Each structure stands twice: as structure tokens, then as C-alpha cells.
Amino acid sequence: MSRKKRKKQGPAPANNGARKKSVLQGLAVAAVSLAVWCAACYVCYAYGMRQETSKLAEMLNPDLAEQADSLKWVLAVDEPMTDEELKTKARQVMGDLEFQVKCFGRYTNADGSPCLDEKGKPAHISYESALAQGLFREPDEADMKISVTSDPERGWELRVVSTPMGTVTFRSKDESVVRVSRIYTADSESNRPIETATEAVERARAYYNWGLPFPGNYEMAGVERQGEDWLVTYHRAVRLKNLPKLRSDSQQVQIVISGADGELKEAQCLDLLLIQTGCDQRPISQEQAVQAAEQSLAGAGLQAQFQAAEYAVVEPNFIYDRREDGFAYDPETHLSRAVWRLHYQQEEQSYLVYIDAYTGQPLGGLIG
């Protein structure tokens, strides 16, 4: 259908100016409304951030840190999970792991046909599809049992969910998963022997990224062969003002996989709050740290030769503090701090001394 050509128009009628004015007024009203709405959103956001900042400032008050109860430094949940909710969470954790174990690198269905995405291209099999096809299974919540135990070193209460496929351990205070232990089955079609460290790291990364409910701010730190199995270790990575990127070797994610076929056997995670006391100032010098460390050793009646020093993140334990019942070993605050970690040697005896990197406070150490 053809359109008739419009006649060439002359100058716009006079009422066009009024029409333009009306449009501009409408735009102005809309702009004002948008500005008011944005301002209201910003006020709400700023208020929320101020409340959160105030809450964190109260929690991480350095004056309280020296006397704080250990559990104070673990973020408490508002309402503990019920046993039913705990079982549901454990089912999800074990299901994610079983999917990674049984379907790692799988691009075929149970009948051998290729998996295809919505566009008809080859794709990795999905969780839902693999579960429906019986390539793996989730644990039955009816078969689960819940028990309560504790971490004797830190005094944390732990809730353990036992399933026919393994156990999931939760820290009661914040309900984070601290340990997963899976019953080894050695029956996965896609499994293959893990012969090199590179293969072990690749397989562990798949479990860490897609199957384990652990924090993501940990970086791969090492891999080693342990008998027939592989142990892959991740350390927490920390970035603080005026300090290089640090790794906390006392805060670890460890994953144990079978060398025979790559199945996950066990994984555990220690995640602590990092108190950033003094991080808005320059760290103390190595000379100041050495002086503080030697005073700490002398107070404990120890003498040793300084060897080396480096920045680190550690969990304070106050081991060199004098007590009536001997040295204090158990951590008192269960938080991590940036320190100068100083190495000392006396004949065959070695000492590590932790000095807060910003305040110069002695925080304990280790005797080896």
C-alpha cells in the first residue's frame, strides 16, 4: 500500500510555543520528582550505612578487644536455624558436592547423548538434569541426625548433621559451615586418576568454587601428596592500608581429594574476623617491632637471636604472657590481626613472636 506524500508545511502555528512550554513544564516536574526520589533513596542508604558503620565500630572497638569473650567476635545469627532448616542446608551442601563429584566435566546425558543448551550447542550437564536422570542423588533428610559438639581450642559450639553420604558441621554462633566430610564411594563415571599437582588444584578449585559453602577471599597456597590423596590448601588474603597484600596461614581452607579418581573426601574452613586496629595509620617499623618482641621474650624469661621478620595475619594467643599456671596458650579473642611476625632462634629452639603491625602490642606467638 502506497502512502500519499505530505504537502510541504509552512511555519509552525503559533500554539506550538504553548505546546512546547507545556512539555517543558512536564519534564521539569518529572525531573524534580526523580530528584526527590533519588534524595530519599540516598538518605535511606546513608542512614543504613551509618547504622552498619556504628555497629562495626562498636564490635571492633580496640579497647574492648583485649578483654572480649571469644564468641563476641563471631557474628551471631538473629534466629538460629531449626533442625529442619539445618537438614535442608546440609542436603544442599551434600547435593552440590555430589553433583561436582559425579558430573565433573560431564557433557553427556545418562544415555550417552550430548547435553545441549537452549541454542542447541554442547553444554555441561545441569544440576537439575543430572539429578532427574539419576546421575547423582541428594541425601534424604529423613535419614539425617543432628548432634552438638564443640571446638575445644576455641570453645565454639558446633552442630553436626550426619547423613548417609557424609557429615556437615556448622558453627552454632553464625551457622557457617566449617567442615564437610564425605563418604568415599569411588563410583563416578567421569572420575579419573589425579596424577599431577596441577590436576589436583584444578579439581579442588571446582569443589571450592561450586560445591563448598566457604568464603571466597582465600587464595591457593599449596598442594601436596599425602599417601594416595592430595591436600590442597588455601590461605585467607587480606588487603590493609599501608601494608602489602597478606596471607593468613592460620586461616585456611583445606580440601582433601582422592588421587585414585579425584573424589572429594574432606574439606574444612577456619574463617575469623579481622580486626583492623590502627589501619588508618602507618605501620610501626621493623626496628620498633623487634624492640617490642625482645621485651616480650625477656618478660617470659627467654633469650634468643633475631633471625627474620615479615608482615602476616595471625590469630593472637598471648603465649608469652606470664601467668600463675604457666604461659597462656589459648587464644583469648579469636580474631585475626595484622602483625610483624618475628623469627628468633636459640640453639635448636625456635620462637615466633607476633607484634601488632600498627599498635606495637605483643600478641603472642609460637614455640617450636
Side-chain angles (χ1 to χ4, degrees):
M1 183 184 299
S2 61
R3 288 185 180 177
K4 292 183 179 180
K5 291 186 178 179
R6 278 180 149 184
K7 292 183 180 180
K8 189 174 182 180
Q9 295 181 345
N15 65 350
N16 275 10
R19 197 171 297 157
K20 287 182 178 178
K21 182 177 181 181
S22 176
V23 171
L24 290 174
Q25 287 176 340
L27 290 174
V29 171
V32 170
S33 300
L34 181 60
V36 170
W37 180 79
C38 289
C41 290
Y42 177 78
V43 169
C44 293
Y45 170 79
Y47 177 78
M49 290 300 294
R50 187 175 66 179
Q51 292 293 96
E52 184 66 16
T53 301
S54 299
K55 181 180 178 181
L56 287 175
E58 179 181 351
M59 288 182 59
L60 302 182
N61 185 338
D63 295 330
L64 298 177
E66 307 308 323
Q67 308 165 24
D69 177 78
S70 61
L71 296 185
K72 181 179 179 64
W73 299 101
V74 180
L75 292 174
V77 294
D78 294 330
E79 291 291 336
M81 280 193 288
T82 63
D83 284 358
E84 291 70 23
E85 291 172 331
L86 207 64
K87 290 179 180 180
T88 298
K89 180 65 176 177
R91 175 177 58 80
Q92 294 170 347
V93 171
M94 294 304 299
D96 286 340
L97 283 177
E98 288 303 304
F99 173 64
Q100 290 301 321
V101 168
K102 302 296 176 66
C103 300
F104 176 78
R106 186 178 187 119
Y107 291 84
T108 58
N109 295 306
D111 61 4
S113 62
C115 297
L116 304 175
D117 62 16
E118 296 177 353
K119 297 181 180 180
K121 296 182 178 180
H124 191 284
I125 192 169
S126 69
Y127 184 102
E128 293 76 14
S129 177
L131 182 63
Q133 295 181 54
L135 292 174
F136 78 100
R137 62 187 178 89
E138 297 175 333
D140 191 339
E141 294 182 24
D143 297 329
M144 296 183 186
K145 296 181 180 180
I146 298 178
S147 59
V148 178
T149 183
S150 64
D151 180 340
E153 183 177 349
R154 296 175 177 82
W156 289 327
E157 182 182 88
L158 304 172
R159 298 171 74 186
V160 182
V161 183
S162 301
T163 82
M165 301 165 70
T167 62
V168 183
T169 302
F170 297 82
R171 191 164 57 192
S172 299
K173 196 72 174 179
D174 60 356
E175 294 180 342
S176 62
V177 177
V178 297
R179 185 184 182 91
V180 178
S181 181
R182 179 183 168 275
I183 296 176
Y184 179 59
T185 56
D187 61 355
S188 304
E189 296 178 17
S190 61
N191 283 347
R192 66 180 188 276
I194 306 298
E195 299 176 346
T196 68
T198 300
E199 292 175 319
V201 170
E202 178 185 1
R203 195 63 183 267
R205 184 187 296 118
Y207 293 132
Y208 189 10
N209 290 345
W210 305 106
L212 293 168
F214 293 159
N217 58 337
Y218 286 66
E219 296 181 349
M220 210 282 287
V223 55
E224 59 181 292
R225 196 77 187 248
Q226 292 190 335
E228 297 181 354
D229 299 331
W230 289 93
L231 172 65
V232 182
T233 302
Y234 297 77
H235 289 166
R236 182 181 179 184
V238 175
R239 291 173 174 84
L240 294 175
K241 184 178 180 181
N242 298 320
L243 287 179
K245 183 177 77 171
L246 305 176
R247 279 183 174 176
S248 173
D249 52 12
S250 64
Q251 294 176 250
Q252 299 182 345
V253 168
Q254 291 188 316
I255 300 174
V256 178
I257 60 177
S258 166
D261 53 22
E263 287 196 15
L264 182 139
K265 289 188 171 181
E266 185 178 78
Q268 57 186 348
C269 173
L270 173 60
D271 188 52
L272 304 171
L273 285 184
L274 172 69
I275 184 169
Q276 302 182 40
T277 303
C279 68
D280 57 343
Q281 64 192 46
R282 300 290 302 179
I284 64 173
S285 66
Q286 178 177 311
E287 291 73 18
Q288 291 172 306
V290 169
Q291 183 179 8
E294 292 179 352
Q295 289 176 353
S296 179
L297 287 172
L302 300 171
Q303 291 183 345
Q305 186 69 33
F306 170 71
Q307 301 292 316
E310 72 270 345
Y311 288 118
V313 174
V314 302
E315 181 181 2
N317 59 29
F318 305 98
I319 192 172
Y320 297 113
D321 286 3
R322 282 281 192 180
R323 301 289 173 87
E324 292 181 0
D325 56 349
F327 297 124
Y329 178 76
D330 292 336
E332 294 183 351
T333 52
H334 301 302
L335 50 84
S336 58
R337 300 269 279 273
V339 301
W340 275 103
R341 183 168 56 194
L342 301 116
H343 300 252
Y344 285 84
Q345 191 74 30
Q346 182 184 32
E347 296 178 352
E348 296 183 357
Q349 189 73 57
S350 62
Y351 303 93
L352 285 179
V353 183
Y354 306 151
I355 302 297
D356 190 291
Y358 293 105
T359 68
Q361 176 196 5
L363 299 176
L366 294 173
I367 298 177

